[in-house]
Amino acid sequence: MNVDLARYADLLDLLASLPERVPSLQVVVVNGSAVTGGWDEHSDLDVEAWCSGDAATTYDAVLALVRQELGVDHVWELPEATWPTGRQCFVHLQPDAADLSRPTLLLDLVIQTTPDRLTMDTRRHGTPMVLHDPAGLLVLEDDDEAELAGQREQAVAQTAARRQTAAWLVERAIARGDLAEATALHLRFALEPLVRLLRIQHCPARHDFGLRYLRTDLPAGMAERVEALLPGPDLVVRTRAAFAWQDEVLAQLT
């Protein structure tokens, strides 16, 4: 896949030099939409790295260099508990990221401690752009299929078992005029489980990717059909249609 990363040239140059300056770095890759599809002028650059020793120490060193070398506007650091073995942050290289009148410049950086065996499933995450891996630690192989199949089976079973309770919750909130609650319940119990079922049916390796990447992961026209069920003024019609579609897919899967 060929994508134009020219606007991130300074950042890519810095990333290439990082292992010399932060020797604990063992593997550095670009992943995300740059390798899975959907890359455009408003995509951030997803970078994942693995290191020896304490990931927080390496993360602090890398972030300090990014701040020193690049025009950083601000950084959102996720809570330390987000990753059991690492840290993540979003580095904004310009102010007001929501201003889409210009190309986006934003780094999504994750740094973790290198596990005993480092693998990546290309069905789920695409083929990464490897910037640094001199020891060949990163192995491209599918995740455990039995584990994925178990997760899918549980999702189907739970959706089927919850079906009537879920519809009652949404319909009750609508009948009571509790629009905010009804909207949240519609998304949680009608739309999101429907998309999970569609993913299990059409892109099982990415069954848990939620509402993202629908145009690339589902058959042509299906994303638009899902979007027609997003909350609107006729929510009762949309929620009944979503549950009816759930019934249709459940019948096919079970």
Side-chain angles (χ1 to χ4, degrees):
M1 179 182 300
N2 294 319
V3 297
D4 184 4
L5 301 180
R7 71 179 187 273
Y8 287 109
D10 291 345
L11 174 55
L12 289 168
D13 287 344
L14 174 59
L15 291 170
S17 71
L18 279 178
E20 295 181 1
R21 305 167 76 177
V22 185
S24 58
L25 285 170
Q26 295 178 302
V27 179
V28 182
V29 305
V30 171
N31 50 21
S33 61
V35 301
T36 60
W39 176 268
D40 61 23
E41 64 179 347
H42 299 304
S43 296
D44 61 346
L45 189 70
D46 294 277
V47 174
E48 194 164 6
W50 291 266
C51 65
S52 59
D54 177 52
T57 301
T58 298
Y59 166 87
D60 289 341
V62 169
L63 184 55
L65 284 171
V66 170
R67 289 181 183 276
Q68 174 185 313
E69 300 290 335
L70 301 175
V72 175
D73 180 75
H74 72 281
V75 177
W76 169 36
E77 296 187 80
L78 276 67
E80 293 184 14
T82 303
W83 292 90
T85 60
R87 293 296 310 276
Q88 180 178 11
C89 66
F90 288 81
V91 181
H92 291 247
L93 300 174
Q94 60 191 8
D96 193 6
D99 178 4
L100 300 185
S101 65
R102 65 200 171 170
T104 295
L105 289 172
L106 202 163
L107 166 66
D108 177 357
L109 175 66
V110 179
I111 297 180
Q112 301 184 72
T113 300
T114 307
D116 292 337
R117 192 164 188 274
L118 178 59
T119 65
M120 186 174 294
D121 187 337
T122 58
R123 300 172 304 164
R124 290 170 58 78
H125 306 294
T127 302
M129 181 187 307
V130 179
L131 303 180
H132 178 74
D133 184 15
L137 298 177
L138 179 61
V139 178
L140 303 181
E141 69 176 29
D142 293 350
D143 290 343
D144 187 308
E145 186 56 36
E147 182 177 343
L148 291 175
Q151 294 170 3
R152 295 191 293 263
E153 182 178 350
Q154 182 181 52
V156 172
Q158 272 295 301
T159 303
R162 188 183 57 222
R163 166 67 174 82
Q164 296 300 319
T165 305
W168 163 71
L169 284 167
V170 182
E171 292 272 359
R172 183 182 66 174
I174 294 172
R176 289 174 172 175
D178 297 328
L179 181 59
E181 180 183 356
T183 299
L185 292 172
H186 170 73
L187 288 170
R188 180 180 176 187
F189 291 121
L191 199 64
E192 291 177 4
L194 168 62
V195 169
R196 184 78 173 261
L197 294 175
L198 293 172
R199 287 184 164 282
I200 289 170
Q201 191 173 47
H202 297 288
C203 55
R206 288 160 67 96
H207 69 94
D208 54 349
F209 273 46
L211 300 180
R212 304 181 68 194
Y213 313 115
L214 296 186
R215 283 178 172 76
T216 56
D217 288 354
L218 298 181
M222 197 165 281
E224 290 76 12
R225 188 178 169 189
V226 169
E227 289 168 353
L229 300 176
L230 288 169
D234 54 346
L235 184 59
V236 69
V237 175
R238 298 180 186 218
T239 201
R240 290 173 184 174
F243 280 116
W245 196 359
Q246 277 191 31
D247 292 340
E248 176 186 331
V249 182
L250 280 169
Q252 294 167 354
L253 289 173
T254 59

